[in-house]
Amino acid sequence: MTNCCGTALSTPRLRALILLALAAMPSVALAQEPAQGDPSQGTGPLPNNVAPSPTPICTDRPTRASVACTVPAGAFQLETDFIDWTRETLDGVRTDTILYTNPTLKYGVGKHTDVEVNIAPYQTVRTRMADGSVTTDGGVGDLFVRAKQRLTADSSMTHVAVIGSVKAPTAGSVVGNGKWEGSVALPVNIPLPAKFTLTTSPEFDISANEGSPNQDPVTGHHFELVNLINLSHPVGKNATVYAEFWTKESFEPRHNTQQYSADVAASYQLTKTLQLDAAAYIGLNRETPGLQLYTGLSTRF
């Protein structure tokens, strides 16, 4: 055959051009198809350079109840008060304790394991005696180191964990009791109908003896048993409300006491990894602080 300019093309050369054109057609078609492994097209897993959507933050705030969830492996999580105020009145003596932030920093060391460190950078204790005299002390709080291990699989409906905690007396005997203490807790989270969640958290404490007023300094430790019943329910997409009944029984030989409180709280997730909250603990007997109020936030990074 002859082209427009009269130049002849041999048959072998024409066949080669036709074969080259046919070979190029599949690659053009494939370039128009969705890329394999592109999750936006529903064709496979996330590419290596695309981060997965974060799971919603799960915290031990804002009630006394702990939860069984742990911080994801390799992630940090900060849970802290903005301010925490407690008032206790007993035998005419009124004590106001204020914590100016109370951060807990958590780190995920495994799929179901995290470690946690808590300390109040500064706190004040204001005591008003029955005769009207007032004293105010302040300083750093005690240091708490905890480890949490979830015991149930991801597929479980009910989740259980174990939490071990040790308190180092960094506050000394001015705003603390100056004694080492420890505890073991077993939080259990149970889903209920109508989107309610039931949490219970039996806890076994080893606490320093306090003795009674006008007695010589007391040494040694005693056992305490703590438990609670907590009900939570979502409100809309981002908020949750909580109601809780808490108990604590001390087996100190010379100062055995029982404490009870009714607690209410609410939390709101601004994003999947940022939560605001507030809580009120209301004492139900004379041995329990009459009122504790606090508000704070939690964030994962």
Side-chain angles (χ1 to χ4, degrees):
M1 62 181 291
T2 304
N3 64 8
C4 62
C5 301
T7 303
L9 292 175
S10 64
T11 300
R13 183 177 296 177
L14 178 60
R15 290 175 180 172
L17 290 173
I18 294 172
L19 290 173
L20 183 62
L22 291 173
M25 289 177 64
S27 63
V28 173
L30 287 174
Q32 298 173 349
E33 294 178 356
Q36 295 298 311
D38 183 355
S40 65
Q41 304 293 332
T43 58
L46 289 167
N48 292 332
N49 62 343
V50 177
S53 177
T55 57
I57 191 170
C58 182
T59 74
D60 288 318
R61 298 176 60 90
T63 58
R64 301 180 195 263
S66 296
V67 290
C69 62
T70 57
V71 178
F76 286 94
Q77 186 162 300
L78 177 66
E79 303 178 15
T80 184
D81 301 333
F82 293 131
I83 193 165
D84 183 323
W85 168 74
T86 302
R87 169 165 290 182
E88 180 177 10
T89 303
L90 184 62
D91 297 330
V93 178
R94 189 178 72 194
T95 303
D96 292 282
T97 303
I98 300 177
L99 279 60
Y100 300 93
T101 74
N102 185 28
T104 296
L105 183 63
K106 302 180 178 182
Y107 178 71
V109 297
K111 185 177 181 182
H112 296 151
T113 310
D114 67 32
V115 292
E116 310 171 5
V117 178
N118 165 256
I119 189 170
Y122 193 78
Q123 66 183 71
T124 60
V125 179
R126 183 179 185 272
T127 305
R128 184 181 185 277
M129 306 302 293
D131 61 6
S133 61
V134 176
T135 60
T136 302
D137 297 299
V140 68
D142 289 319
L143 173 68
F144 295 84
V145 179
R146 304 184 183 99
K148 182 191 291 189
Q149 174 66 53
R150 202 178 85 193
L151 304 177
T152 48
D154 293 339
S155 57
S156 300
M157 294 295 292
T158 296
H159 284 292
V160 182
V162 60
I163 305 173
S165 177
V166 174
K167 188 205 80 174
T170 52
S173 58
V174 177
V175 295
N177 61 9
K179 304 292 180 61
W180 287 82
E181 297 175 326
S183 67
V184 177
L186 195 74
V188 181
N189 309 131
I190 306 169
L192 299 178
K195 297 183 179 180
F196 282 93
T197 298
L198 172 67
T199 296
T200 183
S201 186
E203 180 178 322
F204 177 79
D205 296 348
I206 299 177
S207 300
N209 291 333
E210 297 179 6
S212 300
N214 304 319
Q215 289 182 335
D216 294 332
V218 176
T219 60
H221 290 74
H222 62 276
F223 299 133
E224 294 181 342
L225 293 180
V226 182
N227 209 343
L228 56 87
I229 296 175
N230 178 294
L231 277 177
S232 63
H233 192 276
V235 178
K237 292 181 62 177
N238 300 317
T240 304
V241 293
Y242 308 82
E244 179 179 80
F245 177 71
W246 173 86
T247 69
K248 179 179 181 180
E249 182 168 6
S250 167
F251 295 95
E252 183 175 357
R254 291 186 290 180
H255 195 57
N256 184 280
T257 59
Q258 293 80 37
Q259 295 182 334
Y260 308 95
S261 74
D263 311 330
V264 292
S267 64
Y268 186 86
Q269 286 195 1
L270 294 175
T271 70
K272 282 190 174 183
T273 58
L274 178 61
Q275 172 184 292
L276 300 178
D277 58 51
Y281 302 161
I282 304 166
L284 300 179
N285 66 344
R286 64 187 300 272
E287 287 84 10
T288 309
L291 184 62
Q292 181 177 355
L293 302 173
Y294 67 84
T295 182
L297 65 78
S298 302
T299 184
R300 192 175 69 223
F301 51 95

